[in-house]
Amino acid sequence: MTMSTTRRRLSVIAASAGAGVLLFAGSAAAHVSVQPGTADQGSYAKVAFRVPNERDDAGTTKLEVTLPADKPLTSVQTRAMPGWKAEVEKTKLTTPIDNHGKPLTEVVSKITWTADAGTRVNPGTFEDFEVSMGKLPTDTDKLVFKAVQTYDSGEVVRWIDLAGADGKEPQYPAPVLKLAAKTGATAPAAAPATKPADGKASVAAVAEDKSDDSTARTLGVVGIVVGALGLGAGVFAVLRASRRPGSA
């Protein structure tokens, strides 16, 4: 095997391994999500439902988002999008809620975006569907929005599943908006540090919260490792072959 042949084969192996890693990492994170993923409790926020197109032979032409019925929002407004029509559905409340001193008897429960003829989210692209909403509740740390994505091929993907007790992300996770304590709110006082009798400072263990995308990151890392192992095996095989007597 000549040096130029060896180099060509190594290049092909490297390109294939790199493509596999990118494909694996991309598929782990591609799902309908809320952007940004965090907002302040008790505030009004502008969010976007980000919809990636996961098919190579079809485009997204419809998105349905259901708002949480147990946490009704007093204000929900969609942003106009060229080529798309937004429709809202409202639900009557059994118990009216306060809206700036006035009772509110119905709230938006669902938003449906439908593409005009000739418009769609094309393969390899994404679209942001923006919504202004509030007031966000103060008695929960998250809002779950179940979404349904429809392709022009007729395929329907339901992003409605919740993480299990083990925290593992499901195959079709529902978009989640995390709610954080409003900036400037008084934080609980930290417990005073203690010293043991011998005067040596004690060491406190600090636990860090895991982020929602830990699963996607883990899968991405696994994909990179697998790709690297495949690349190494391919390089070893090519170099070994090039050293054999009589190799062309």
Side-chain angles (χ1 to χ4, degrees):
M1 182 182 295
T2 65
M3 184 59 69
S4 61
T5 301
T6 299
R7 289 176 178 174
R8 285 198 300 271
R9 292 188 179 183
L10 289 175
S11 297
V12 171
I13 292 172
S16 299
V21 169
L22 290 176
L23 178 61
F24 193 95
S27 62
H31 53 71
V32 176
S33 61
V34 183
Q35 302 294 329
T38 304
D40 289 338
Q41 294 176 338
S43 68
Y44 290 84
K46 184 183 78 171
V47 302
F49 293 96
R50 180 161 295 175
V51 181
N53 195 93
E54 297 185 305
R55 301 295 178 262
D56 295 329
D57 56 353
T60 297
T61 55
K62 187 177 181 181
L63 173 69
E64 301 167 72
V65 175
T66 299
L67 281 64
D70 60 335
K71 301 295 179 184
L73 302 172
T74 59
S75 175
V76 176
Q77 296 178 320
T78 61
R79 184 172 184 176
M81 293 178 60
W84 294 84
K85 180 182 180 181
E87 294 180 297
V88 297
E89 295 181 23
K90 293 187 176 182
T91 298
K92 291 282 186 180
L93 297 175
T94 303
T95 303
I97 58 176
D98 179 73
N99 182 29
H100 301 290
K102 297 180 180 180
L104 188 66
T105 59
E106 63 177 14
V107 293
V108 174
S109 57
K110 185 178 181 180
I111 308 172
T112 301
W113 287 270
T114 306
D116 295 338
T119 300
R120 68 177 190 170
V121 183
N122 289 314
T125 67
F126 70 88
E127 187 62 81
D128 283 343
F129 297 83
E130 295 183 345
V131 178
S132 174
M133 60 175 63
K135 273 189 172 183
L136 300 178
T138 58
D139 58 350
T140 183
D141 61 356
K142 66 181 178 181
L143 289 179
V144 178
F145 301 89
K146 295 186 177 182
V148 178
Q149 180 180 12
T150 302
Y151 290 89
D152 54 14
S153 62
E155 180 185 5
V156 176
V157 182
R158 301 181 183 278
W159 303 95
I160 62 174
D161 297 331
L162 304 178
D166 58 0
K168 185 178 179 181
E169 185 178 74
Q171 184 176 3
Y172 299 103
V176 175
L177 176 64
K178 285 185 175 182
L179 300 180
K182 198 168 185 178
T183 304
T186 303
T194 59
K195 277 190 176 183
D198 60 4
K200 294 182 180 179
S202 61
V203 179
V206 179
E208 295 183 353
D209 292 335
K210 295 181 180 179
S211 60
D212 278 351
D213 63 346
S214 59
T215 302
R217 290 183 180 180
T218 300
L219 291 175
V221 171
V222 172
I224 293 173
V225 172
V226 172
L229 291 175
L231 175 60
V235 170
F236 177 77
V238 171
L239 292 177
R240 184 177 181 182
S242 65
R243 293 174 183 172
R244 293 177 181 171
S247 297

